[in-house]
Amino acid sequence: AFPQLRSLNLSANRLRELGPGLARAAPQLQELLLSGNRLRALPGGLLSPEGPPAPFPLLSRLDAADNEVAELGADIAALPALKSLDVANNQLRELPAALADCPRLKEANFRGNQLRDKRLEKMVNGCQTKAILEYLRAGGRGKGKAESGREDIRKKKREKQQKKDSGEGEQDEVEEASKLLVKVLHVSENPVPLVVKVSPGVKDVRAFIVCCVLKGVNLKPGNALKRFLTMQTKLHEDICEKRTVATIATHDLQLVKAPLTYDVQPPDELKIVPLGRKEIKAKDLLRQLQLEAEEQRKQKKRQNVSGLHKYLQLLDGKDNYPCLVDAEGAVISFPPITNSEKTKIRKETRDLFLEVTSDTSLQICKDVMDTLILKIAELNRSALENKEGSGSDMESDSLCGPGNLNLPLVVEQVRVVDTDGNLKVLYPSKTDLATVSSLLTVIR
């Protein structure tokens, strides 16, 4: 018995079946990885009647890609917590309608199966999971509710056209067209997706990190770079509550040497080249900043200090400091204090690596990242519309033509994994960027 077992990886073996003994032995299992075996049915014997009355009540991820699964049973819906299901590259001919009854299923991969329903086969290769489940719920192949669903769509189109003809819909169209565009590039579509590995030590220091790549920014015109840095400072003051709940770091992607590791190091071992300074140990940097803060107070005869000096107390009492380390072993980020000169953003920077860390919660990281992407999109639009730069800069930049003002920024998903490669967070997921949806049109 393994009463505390949360994750079990049985991938790349020769397993042909699994029995109900696993449900009894590991009742707290949350993640079951079975890819690369020879399983022929799923869930198969895992959920046989002889098993517990509610087997796997916490199982949220089931990965059975690259097997020989020819039957996906309707009892898959008996997994109440299932959020992610991967049965890619199997021998499935049909998908059960019961999949639509999985109460929490958000992500499913059915690609690489020769499905009889050719429309469904096209959907699994190009549609979101929600649309696939709706199709199955409606009966598939145009049966039952599917036809009424299509009639609802046609009805909405007619109403929209009537509004347009009467002039009522013009305002809605203007508002929609004025929204900023962001396109999400999924990990599965990215030939070289960026991955951040998290070491166990960060849990007790600064546990949460969310990252993504943002491509297509334009910092060349006029004071665009200065406004970008000012925006970041304001976010630190406002939504990040003076960096007490979260810290933002922005890097030039071209200068980031992947893969990256989010780690902790002792103050007398962590070395960084801070922005505008020479290489220094973390403990010496903090001592130097404290001396500068004291000098600043004396000169200005007041208690308040500015710049990095405001955040020194956030590391009080820490035996280890958090840091983001690149493939060359260089520290490129030392939250919540500073970034490295190595990945400093310049006017010529077009692609960004964005990072938000927190010791409070993962959701705060996501909310801050949502807002950061929105603000960068607003600055990008403003720079293009106002044509703040010299003619030569504008002419040389293909994105700056008047017809290209609403080209989308591209947000590439970044996976954060633990040392065993298990996914901790993927950003942006399907539910992310919702907090700014009123101002942002997200193409997923």
Side-chain angles (χ1 to χ4, degrees):
F2 300 98
Q4 302 302 319
L5 190 65
R6 299 289 190 271
S7 176
L8 179 60
N9 188 350
L10 298 171
S11 301
N13 284 285
R14 298 179 182 179
L15 299 173
R16 293 189 181 277
E17 59 183 349
L18 289 167
L22 183 59
R24 290 191 293 269
Q28 302 295 309
L29 203 62
Q30 298 175 11
E31 182 178 67
L32 180 56
L33 309 181
L34 302 170
S35 62
N37 280 288
R38 297 178 182 177
L39 299 175
R40 295 172 180 173
L42 199 76
L46 278 172
L47 303 181
S48 76
E50 292 80 28
F56 301 119
L58 304 178
L59 188 68
S60 62
R61 179 186 174 191
L62 180 57
D63 183 350
D66 301 299
N67 274 277
E68 300 170 7
V69 178
E71 179 189 353
L72 187 59
D75 48 351
I76 193 77
L79 297 171
L82 188 64
K83 293 182 180 179
S84 174
L85 174 66
D86 190 347
V87 286
N89 303 321
N90 276 285
Q91 298 173 12
L92 293 170
R93 302 287 295 179
E94 295 181 349
L95 298 180
L99 277 169
D101 298 326
C102 293
R104 297 190 179 183
L105 189 59
K106 301 295 182 187
E107 297 181 8
N109 185 1
F110 305 113
R111 295 177 184 177
N113 288 285
Q114 301 296 317
L115 300 175
R116 289 194 182 95
D117 186 339
K118 295 307 173 186
R119 182 181 176 192
L120 180 58
E121 189 170 7
K122 288 182 180 179
M123 290 181 71
V124 302
N125 288 318
C127 293
Q128 293 185 7
T129 300
K130 183 179 179 181
I132 297 168
L133 297 182
E134 285 296 331
Y135 181 74
L136 292 172
R137 182 178 287 112
R141 296 192 178 188
K143 298 176 186 174
K145 297 178 183 176
E147 186 57 41
S148 63
R150 284 198 290 274
E151 180 56 36
D152 287 344
I153 293 172
R154 287 195 286 268
K155 183 179 178 182
K156 286 178 181 177
K157 283 184 177 178
R158 287 197 298 270
E159 291 174 352
K160 187 176 181 180
Q161 186 61 42
Q162 289 170 358
K163 274 188 175 184
K164 188 175 180 181
D165 293 341
S166 64
E168 292 176 18
E170 289 181 6
Q171 184 61 34
D172 292 340
E173 289 187 9
V174 169
E175 289 178 2
E176 189 63 32
S178 67
K179 280 188 177 182
L180 300 150
L181 289 179
V182 167
K183 176 177 172 53
V184 175
L185 182 68
H186 296 264
V187 166
S188 59
E189 303 164 342
N190 191 345
V192 282
L194 202 151
V195 176
V196 176
K197 187 175 287 188
V198 176
S199 71
V202 303
K203 183 179 179 182
D204 301 320
V205 179
R206 196 174 185 84
F208 307 103
I209 183 168
V210 167
C211 305
C212 70
V213 166
L214 188 63
K215 290 189 170 182
V217 299
N218 182 16
L219 301 174
K220 283 186 178 180
N223 64 351
L225 178 58
K226 182 179 179 182
R227 291 173 62 195
F228 174 87
L229 298 174
T230 300
M231 171 272 296
Q232 194 171 322
T233 300
K234 287 182 178 178
L235 289 180
H236 272 145
E237 289 292 312
D238 300 334
I239 191 171
C240 296
E241 298 180 20
K242 301 186 188 301
R243 302 197 194 187
T244 56
V245 298
T247 305
I248 297 165
T250 54
H251 309 266
D252 185 327
L253 180 67
Q254 302 304 316
L255 304 175
V256 173
K257 306 298 181 185
L260 302 173
T261 303
Y262 184 47
D263 202 356
V264 292
Q265 295 181 16
D268 57 348
E269 292 181 17
L270 195 161
K271 291 182 180 179
I272 187 172
V273 181
L275 292 168
R277 296 172 187 253
K278 295 180 180 179
E279 185 180 66
I280 190 172
K281 290 181 179 179
K283 68 170 187 178
D284 295 331
L285 173 63
L286 263 63
R287 188 182 300 118
Q288 195 177 95
L289 290 171
Q290 286 164 349
L291 291 173
E292 291 174 7
E294 288 302 319
E295 188 62 29
Q296 203 178 90
R297 287 192 188 97
K298 289 177 184 176
Q299 288 180 357
K300 298 186 177 181
K301 296 182 180 178
R302 60 184 184 188
Q303 290 299 312
N304 294 333
V305 291
S306 60
L308 299 179
H309 311 94
K310 294 184 289 185
Y311 311 117
L312 300 180
Q313 78 283 356
L314 298 178
L315 290 174
D316 285 352
K318 303 285 186 185
D319 295 326
N320 289 299
Y321 291 165
C323 57
L324 192 63
V325 183
D326 70 7
E328 297 175 343
V331 173
I332 63 170
S333 177
F334 171 29
I337 303 299
T338 184
N339 290 5
S340 169
E341 186 75 18
K342 183 178 182 180
T343 56
K344 181 180 179 179
I345 291 174
R346 296 167 176 79
K347 272 182 160 305
E348 296 74 24
T349 300
R350 293 298 304 272
D351 303 331
L352 305 174
F353 173 66
L354 306 179
E355 156 212 342
V356 177
T357 59
S358 171
D359 60 1
T360 305
S361 80
L362 184 63
Q363 190 57 50
I364 284 173
C365 289
K366 290 189 169 193
D367 292 345
V368 171
M369 186 69 85
D370 287 356
T371 306
L372 176 63
I373 290 172
L374 171 64
K375 293 300 180 183
I376 294 174
E378 289 175 347
L379 288 176
N380 221 43
R381 167 76 73 84
S382 176
L384 296 177
E385 285 179 340
N386 296 332
K387 297 185 179 181
E388 298 175 354
S390 63
S392 59
D393 274 351
M394 296 306 294
E395 288 163 11
S396 65
D397 198 316
S398 61
L399 283 179
C400 295
N404 294 319
L405 290 180
N406 214 22
L407 277 179
L409 289 169
V410 176
V411 185
E412 292 185 3
Q413 289 181 319
V414 169
R415 296 171 71 241
V416 175
V417 302
D418 63 20
T419 49
D420 294 323
N422 299 312
L423 184 65
K424 291 177 69 70
V425 60
L426 175 72
Y427 182 92
S429 68
K430 293 173 184 176
T431 56
D432 294 324
L433 293 168
T435 59
V436 293
S437 60
S438 62
L439 300 169
L440 211 59
T441 295
V442 183
I443 306 167
R444 298 185 189 271

